[in-house]
Amino acid sequence: MIDTQLARHRVAETNVARPVVSVVAPVYNEAPTLPLFCERVIAALEPLGEPFELVLVNDGSRDGSLDVMVELHERDPRIKVVNFSRNFGHQVAITAGIDYARGDAVAVIDSDLQDPPEVIPELLAKWREGYGIVFAQRAEREGETWFKKATAAFFYRLIRRITNVNIPVDTGDFRLMDRKVVDTLKRMREHHRFMRGLSVWVGFKQTGVEYRRAPRHAGETKYPLSKMIRFALDGITSFSYLPLQLATYFGFLIAAISMLALLAVIVLRLSNGFGLADAQGAFYGQASTLVSVLFLGGIQLIFLGIMGEYLGRIYDEVKRRPLYIVSDVLGLDEQPERTT
Ligand code: UDP
Ligand code: MG
């Protein structure tokens, strides 16, 4: 009798411990948005009647976001917090959230309310149909500059062309993943992480749901141009060798042009410039020599830089530092479950 009661109690306990749905949100200086964000996530998930958790990852915020999170956790223990020792970046914050999340389905969403939490039930519906990954695809982007829209459009098309992972155009990190996908992702510990590429790379059945991307609720973007370029480089170098191979193509092209130029020089010399006064002189000019040497020097430096990009990334991998350092957690196990 007591035993069955105890057993039932244990089951209840594990039910509380193992939510069906986890929502992971990276947070970097979003204090004014957090209360409304949590409210909207809870309002979207509560009607589904299943246990859920909201894992907020504080990525070294300096605006009091942590205090807001602690308060939110105390009011509703379903809101959990992973607190980083410093800022590790958006992609790493998502990784940590995924590491700590325990749900059968894990949704990743920005905490600035650009991704409407009301879309999560739609993603869940697709997941229940048997999809491993459900992307939220932005049909419209409000409140973003034409520059951001144009560069994003260019980048996603470029990366589709030059890599063999087919990242759906116009998807961010807003998506829902099945436990199987999450466990696979957790085994990939590379440092320069391009999560939206990695989650496509793992395969499984994938589909998309369209949504309208809202403007930021408060504050400003944490992706200035320099960070956007770094991020784009991480995406390209993670999935393509094309930049390295370009050196070979360029080499062949320039060698071919030089051959033609050499032939032209020989012919002009032997024929004495076909009697044209300038034709011979053109090849003796200092300027043309200087320009061609500088041109090649420039190209060589560019490719040296490209090799450096890959080399630096290899260096980061071999150092095998942890991806992130957690200072403390609220409502979660100290150590996340690792699949490796
Ligand atoms: N973010 C983060 N760490 C960072 C930068 C951003 O955790 O170093 C979070 C940020 O709080 C937001 C999400 O990542 O929830 C997306 O960032 P942001 O809105 O600035 O990017 P954008 O939407 O402008 O591309
Ligand atoms: Mg944003």
Side-chain angles (χ1 to χ4, degrees), residues 26 28 30 59 90 111-112 114 148 213 216 221-222:
Y28 180 49
E30 310 281 6
D59 187 12
H90 179 202
S111 57
D112 60 356
Q114 278 197 287
K148 181 134 187 170
R213 190 158 169 89
R216 236 178 187 285
T221 174
K222 278 94 194 178

Side-chain angles (χ1 to χ4, degrees), residues 162-163 233 236-252 299-314:
I162 67 172
T163 67
L233 277 175
I236 293 170
T237 51
S238 295
F239 292 100
S240 171
Y241 300 133
L242 186 77
L244 288 173
Q245 292 161 338
L246 278 180
T248 320
Y249 303 144
F250 249 104
F252 274 112
I299 300 242
Q300 281 171 337
L301 283 179
I302 291 172
F303 284 113
L304 209 58
I306 292 177
M307 278 166 70
E309 289 292 333
Y310 283 87
L311 187 69
R313 285 171 171 77
I314 296 171

Side-chain angles (χ1 to χ4, degrees), residues 273 275-281:
L276 294 171
D278 305 334
Q280 267 187 312

Side-chain angles (χ1 to χ4, degrees), residues 25-30 57-61 87-91 93-94 109-115 138 141 144 148 196 213 216 220-223 227-228:
V27 180
Y28 180 49
N29 297 346
E30 310 281 6
V57 183
N58 179 32
D59 187 12
S61 302
N87 179 265
F88 281 92
H90 179 202
Q91 302 290 300
I94 293 174
I109 182 169
D110 282 356
S111 57
D112 60 356
L113 285 174
Q114 278 197 287
D115 304 335
R138 1 188 207 225
R141 298 166 77 129
E144 292 198 71
K148 181 134 187 170
R196 45 197 87 166
R213 190 158 169 89
R216 236 178 187 285
E220 51 191 37
T221 174
K222 278 94 194 178
Y223 272 100
K227 242 176 153 182
M228 259 161 67

